[in-house]
Amino acid sequence: MTFLRTYSRAAFSLSKIAKKPLSSHQVILPKQQVFSVTNTTRNLRFYAARPKKLKERIEELIPERLEEIKYIKKEHGPKSMGSTTVDMVYGGMRGIKGLVWEGSVLDPEEGIKFRDLSIEECREKLPKVENGSEPLPEGLFWLLVTGEIPTKEQVSALSAEWAARSAIPSFVEELIDRCPNTLHPMSQFSIAVTALQHESSFAKEYQKGVDKKDYWHYVYEDAMDLISKLPNVVGRIYRNVYKDGKVPAIDAGKDYSYNLAKVLGFESNENFVELLRLYLTIHSDHEGGNVSAHTMKLVGSALSDPYLAFSAALNGLAGPLHGLANQEVVRWIIKMKDTIGESPNDETVREYVQNTLKQGKVIPGYGHAVLRKTDPRYTAQRDFALKHLPDYPLFKIVSQLYNIVPDVLSKQGKISNPWPNVDAHSGTLLQYYGLVEQNYYTVLFGVSRALGVLAQLIWDRALGFPIERPKSYSTKMIRKMFEEKK
């Protein structure tokens, strides 16, 4: 008896294909679909319906999403989502509700959820490599785009497609090679992505006058190409700045994280590859209001192609108050270790933390603009460390800080969230596996963030979202607005 897999409910009329009654052998498909096959038609070939490709699934979802938004605007369009205060305007727009972001929502108490799934649920439910323990970021990208958990076959197909699209033009290679080693890796990253705009399908089709309802097709192609090329881009930057300049070839039979590890020179360490799978998954998206995500959405709303929009997002990510924070955490912890020793007691760590605060400095990696509890991304990395590197001295210090810093900050009474965020842990894991070049850490963050922001950009164009244009006021106008009413 032959068993075939299928992921479609399409019915097959095998008797019509065979042109004669069928009997004898049976082909059993899921959903109890049973078809008979005659002994006399041995040359007849049967194909189970193949898993849907990502682009096909998006095309199916677009009409549903358009109808949903049409309904929401009709039923709730005039309703208020909240008020805006002067404090919000002067406070970095925190708390202002003004963006649609489908891939993730950040809850102050529960943390980030990717399409309603927590990080732990993603780690449990998303496909993994055989004998692997961490989710493949290809699966997370599928989830962010569709809201659905993909099959292993769909994820494998995505891995293969990204590998097939991974080559970068020779002029981009030469551009990266000509950058001085003293130029920050994030600057080189941004330059390379901007140069890749030469390959933009969307930019070329827009110049031809493509119908706006088809914009998303070309944004999708650009997004897939851009994600695919990132390992070669960032691998070349790493090899030029820190190694011998030689970049190994992408392995077409491996997943995205393995190939990223390979271009960096770490593919032989299976645990490091697993770390990258976790890292790329949990850093991918953090709703739409953070600097890199909002920059991507804003620039993309002007119909700048995905390359230009992502380059802008990378420039935002490179800021010390955003993605650059992870390297600052590692530097602070290493400086602490060098000052008070590799195995300090809790009281010594507490004194060091208090002295840092007395100097008017912050404790890097603690606090968050939205979260009011420990960042689940921190917890996921801590779980990984407890499993793979429990005795690593830097991790032990990180654990001590986890137990000490929130108490110290809470007693100060000046911070609404004294708990660790994702940056408090990520650099320590990379240090353990030998990726010690701290200036490079935000580059890895950028590769991961591409998954989230490009997933949203596809939908922005598919749903025809307009250019962003919020209203601004001068300080003089704000005073006039309120004081003339007295």
Side-chain angles (χ1 to χ4, degrees), residues 268-379:
S268 62
N269 190 322
E270 293 182 5
N271 287 338
F272 179 81
V273 177
E274 280 286 274
L275 172 61
L276 278 187
R277 292 176 183 131
L278 174 64
Y279 185 100
L280 294 178
T281 296
I282 66 176
H283 285 79
S284 62
D285 208 33
H286 217 230
E287 71 173 31
N290 64 75
V291 171
S292 55
H294 188 195
T295 300
M296 181 82 176
K297 189 175 181 69
L298 174 64
V299 176
S301 78
L303 297 187
S304 297
D305 62 68
Y307 297 94
L308 295 180
F310 185 60
S311 179
L314 287 175
N315 291 336
L317 188 68
L321 295 182
H322 192 18
L324 211 65
N326 54 12
Q327 69 184 49
E328 294 192 339
V329 171
V330 171
R331 288 172 180 169
W332 183 75
I333 293 175
I334 291 176
K335 183 179 179 181
M336 177 195 296
K337 177 179 70 70
D338 293 342
T339 302
I340 64 178
E342 192 171 82
S343 302
N345 60 41
D346 287 354
E347 188 55 37
T348 303
V349 172
R350 182 179 293 273
E351 289 177 4
Y352 190 90
V353 169
Q354 292 170 334
N355 288 334
T356 298
L357 294 170
K358 288 177 183 178
Q359 295 170 20
K361 301 176 183 179
V362 299
I363 306 301
Y366 281 77
H368 192 274
V370 179
L371 283 168
R372 295 298 174 261
K373 288 189 175 181
T374 298
D375 192 333
R377 299 172 298 173
Y378 175 95
T379 304

Side-chain angles (χ1 to χ4, degrees), residues 159 163 231 249-264:
S159 297
I250 295 292
D251 188 332
K254 296 291 187 177
D255 64 276
Y256 192 74
S257 302
Y258 176 92
N259 276 316
L260 179 56
K262 183 179 181 183
V263 296
L264 298 176

Side-chain angles (χ1 to χ4, degrees), residues 32-158:
Q32 303 301 316
Q33 296 169 312
V34 181
F35 304 107
S36 297
V37 183
T38 180
N39 281 325
T40 61
T41 55
R42 296 182 182 276
N43 61 339
L44 185 62
R45 299 177 67 188
F46 298 97
Y47 297 91
R50 62 172 173 76
K52 286 195 181 300
K53 292 184 178 180
L54 180 56
K55 192 172 185 181
E56 294 172 337
R57 186 61 187 130
I58 297 171
E59 197 153 18
E60 291 177 340
L61 290 170
I62 288 173
E64 300 174 16
R65 293 294 316 286
L66 287 170
E67 284 300 314
E68 181 183 20
I69 292 172
K70 182 179 178 181
Y71 167 81
I72 290 172
K73 292 173 70 174
K74 179 181 177 181
E75 295 295 320
H76 308 295
K79 298 176 183 177
S80 173
M81 294 180 65
S83 60
T84 300
T85 67
V86 174
D87 281 341
M88 288 177 174
V89 173
Y90 281 102
M93 298 193 292
R94 293 186 183 186
I96 293 177
K97 302 175 183 71
L99 294 172
V100 174
W101 195 269
E102 303 292 2
S104 62
V105 174
L106 179 58
D107 183 272
E109 300 297 325
E110 297 183 23
I112 196 68
K113 287 196 172 183
F114 301 129
R115 295 285 191 161
D116 295 327
L117 293 181
S118 69
I119 285 177
E120 282 309 302
E121 288 172 322
C122 288
R123 293 178 77 186
E124 175 188 348
K125 296 180 179 181
L126 289 176
K128 306 171 180 65
V129 297
E130 187 175 356
N131 299 320
S133 59
E134 300 298 342
L136 289 162
E138 292 92 323
L140 191 278
F141 182 69
W142 187 292
L143 174 67
L144 292 177
V145 174
T146 68
E148 301 166 349
I149 295 175
T151 65
K152 290 183 178 180
E153 288 78 4
Q154 287 167 330
V155 167
S156 295
L158 202 52

Side-chain angles (χ1 to χ4, degrees), residues 161-278:
E161 184 173 358
W162 284 356
R165 292 176 181 243
S166 64
I168 60 177
S170 59
F171 84 91
V172 177
E173 293 179 341
E174 293 168 7
L175 182 63
I176 297 171
D177 292 345
R178 290 178 66 86
C179 288
N181 289 353
T182 52
L183 183 63
H184 196 284
M186 281 299 288
S187 298
Q188 296 189 42
F189 194 4
S190 176
I191 289 170
V193 170
T194 301
L196 282 171
Q197 192 267 348
H198 182 269
E199 309 298 303
S200 172
S201 297
F202 176 79
K204 293 172 184 176
E205 293 301 320
Y206 185 83
Q207 290 299 317
K208 295 177 184 177
V210 64
D211 192 312
K212 64 181 181 181
K213 75 176 187 304
D214 293 324
Y215 285 171
W216 80 269
H217 288 282
Y218 303 102
V219 169
Y220 173 88
E221 295 301 328
D222 278 356
M224 293 288 281
D225 280 340
L226 179 51
I227 292 170
S228 302
K229 297 177 190 309
L230 292 183
N232 269 328
V233 169
V234 302
R236 198 169 199 89
I237 293 169
Y238 182 78
R239 294 283 186 159
N240 284 350
V241 175
Y242 304 111
K243 304 297 179 182
D244 58 5
K246 298 177 181 178
V247 185
I250 295 292
D251 188 332
K254 296 291 187 177
D255 64 276
Y256 192 74
S257 302
Y258 176 92
N259 276 316
L260 179 56
K262 183 179 181 183
V263 296
L264 298 176
F266 293 88
E267 77 280 8
S268 62
N269 190 322
E270 293 182 5
N271 287 338
F272 179 81
V273 177
E274 280 286 274
L275 172 61
L276 278 187
R277 292 176 183 131
L278 174 64

